[in-house]
């Protein structure tokens, strides 16, 4: 009897896991097949294979430039976030400032409560006064500012995990704080920097509101904004173009994630390889 109950339990767990995996896998299967379907729909059907969707999409004059704009904005934001977060996290990790931990939690809390949507009016006013409207720099600075608190909070844990004895040895030989950070700390926390870079790129890559409000020229719009234009004049979604563009738009982030995961994986903790 106990063996039968065990078998039923195993079958039940396997069925439940299969149902959960199928629930999450079906949208991905649709995304992978719809771009090659001549008449894609939201229902499940055997696709009628065609490459015409890609030709139609590339005929849009803003598609290629939007991918280039997304890459520029994502790379610029990730670079700015990684550099500033590394400097701030190192300083907060090594310098004993009264209320340091409270400051970190307040910054993280404010970055979660005062989101880009809530702060968009003052940000737009500030960008107008600084002549950053309709510029990539304005988008990069706006998005980077929203990501910095969480990036500093995450990187500080990596900085705390580096052995101070390495830095003390370098300091004895006259190395400056920046030299210690560049030659000793940064190589040890590269997995943390890679994590922050992937996280920043993924956030900027899918950002819609800030670029939509700050940019006026369609030639400067990123892919998330151009995707919004792939509708008919009556407001109906062009599933053939939207699915094709979504596939192309998701590939760079997936490739970057796979590259970083294969290079660093989950074998690191606090910057030190186990």
């Amino acid at each position: 009897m106990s063996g039968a109950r065990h078998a039923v339990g195993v079958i039940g767990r396997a069925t439940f896991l299969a149902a959960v995996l199928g629930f999450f896998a079906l949208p991905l299967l649709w995304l992978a097949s719809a771009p090659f379907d001549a008449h894609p729909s939201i229902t499940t059907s055997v696709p009628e294979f065609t490459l015409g969707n890609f030709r139609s999409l590339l005929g849009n004059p803003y598609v290629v430039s939007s991918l280039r704009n997304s890459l520029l904005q994502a790379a610029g934001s990730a670079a700015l976030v990684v550099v500033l977060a590394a400097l701030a996290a190192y300083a907060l990790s090594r310098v004993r400032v009264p209320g340091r931990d409270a400051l970190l939690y307040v910054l993280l809390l404010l970055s979660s409560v005062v989101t880009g949507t809530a702060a968009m009016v003052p940000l737009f006013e500030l960008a107008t006064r600084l002549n950053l409207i309709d510029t990539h720099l304005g988008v990069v600075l706006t998005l980077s500012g929203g990501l910095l608190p969480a990036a500093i909070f995450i990187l500080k844990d990596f900085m705390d995990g580096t052995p101070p004895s390495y830095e003390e040895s370098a300091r004895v030989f006259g190395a400056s704080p920046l030299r210690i950070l560049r030659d000793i700390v940064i190589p040890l926390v590269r997995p943390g920097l890679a994590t922050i870079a992937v996280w920043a790129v993924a956030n900027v890559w899918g950002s819609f509101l800030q670029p939509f409000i700050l940019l006026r020229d369609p030639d400067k719009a990123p892919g998330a904004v151009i995707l919004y234009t792939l509708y008919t004049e009556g407001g109906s979604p062009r599933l053939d173009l939207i699915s094709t563009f979504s596939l192309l738009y998701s590939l760079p982030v997936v490739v970057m994630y796979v590259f970083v995961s294969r290079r660093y994986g989950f074998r690191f903790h606090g910057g030190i390889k186990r």
Side-chain angles (χ1 to χ4, degrees):
M1 184 65 67
S2 60
R5 284 199 299 267
H6 177 71
V8 171
V10 171
I11 295 174
R13 286 193 296 270
T15 303
F16 174 76
L17 290 176
V20 172
L21 290 175
F23 178 80
F24 287 102
L26 282 177
L28 297 178
L29 292 176
W30 181 88
L31 178 61
S33 62
F36 303 96
D37 191 350
H39 305 286
S41 64
I42 59 175
T43 59
T44 304
S45 61
V46 179
E48 181 182 345
F49 183 80
T50 182
L51 294 177
N53 296 336
F54 291 90
R55 288 191 293 268
S56 300
L57 181 67
L58 295 178
N60 188 312
Y62 300 114
V63 166
V64 176
S65 63
S66 70
L67 296 176
R68 183 172 61 249
N69 294 333
S70 294
L71 180 62
L72 176 63
Q73 294 171 13
S77 299
L80 190 61
V81 168
V82 168
V83 172
L84 295 182
L87 294 174
Y90 179 68
L92 289 172
S93 176
R94 296 298 186 263
V95 179
R96 300 299 176 182
V97 180
R100 177 191 61 182
D101 294 335
L103 174 64
L104 281 174
Y105 281 109
V106 168
L107 287 175
L108 185 63
L109 177 64
L110 290 178
S111 67
S112 302
V113 175
V114 185
T115 60
T117 304
M120 205 58 239
V121 173
L123 286 175
F124 180 81
E125 177 66 18
L126 181 62
T128 301
R129 292 179 180 271
L130 295 177
N131 295 321
L132 294 176
I133 296 296
D134 202 24
T135 64
H136 292 299
L137 180 61
V139 175
V140 168
L141 292 177
T142 301
L143 296 174
S144 300
L147 297 175
L148 265 176
I152 295 172
F153 186 83
I154 295 172
L155 271 182
K156 182 181 175 297
D157 285 339
F158 284 89
M159 297 294 183
D160 290 342
T162 58
S165 57
Y166 294 173
E167 302 173 42
E168 293 169 359
S169 300
R171 197 173 292 112
V172 168
F173 289 97
S176 64
L178 285 179
R179 180 71 180 274
I180 293 173
L181 177 64
R182 184 187 66 186
D183 294 339
I184 297 177
V185 178
I186 292 300
L188 292 175
V189 300
R190 278 183 297 183
L193 299 177
T195 300
I196 294 299
V198 172
W199 172 74
V201 168
N203 276 274
V204 176
W205 199 259
S207 180
F208 169 80
L209 182 63
Q210 289 90 338
F212 180 72
I213 293 177
L214 295 177
L215 297 175
R216 296 288 181 266
D217 188 354
D219 290 328
K220 297 179 181 179
V225 175
I226 295 302
L227 181 63
Y228 181 70
T229 66
L230 301 180
Y231 288 80
T232 63
E233 294 182 358
S236 300
R238 292 282 306 274
L239 290 180
D240 52 346
L241 298 182
I242 290 176
S243 61
T244 306
F245 187 80
S246 298
L247 179 63
L248 294 178
Y249 195 56
S250 62
L251 286 179
V253 177
V254 172
V255 170
M256 181 185 64
Y257 174 80
V258 171
F259 171 78
V260 173
S261 179
R262 288 176 62 87
R263 185 175 180 83
Y264 298 111
F266 298 97
R267 298 171 297 165
F268 293 84
H269 176 74
I272 304 300
K273 184 175 179 179
R274 288 185 171 183

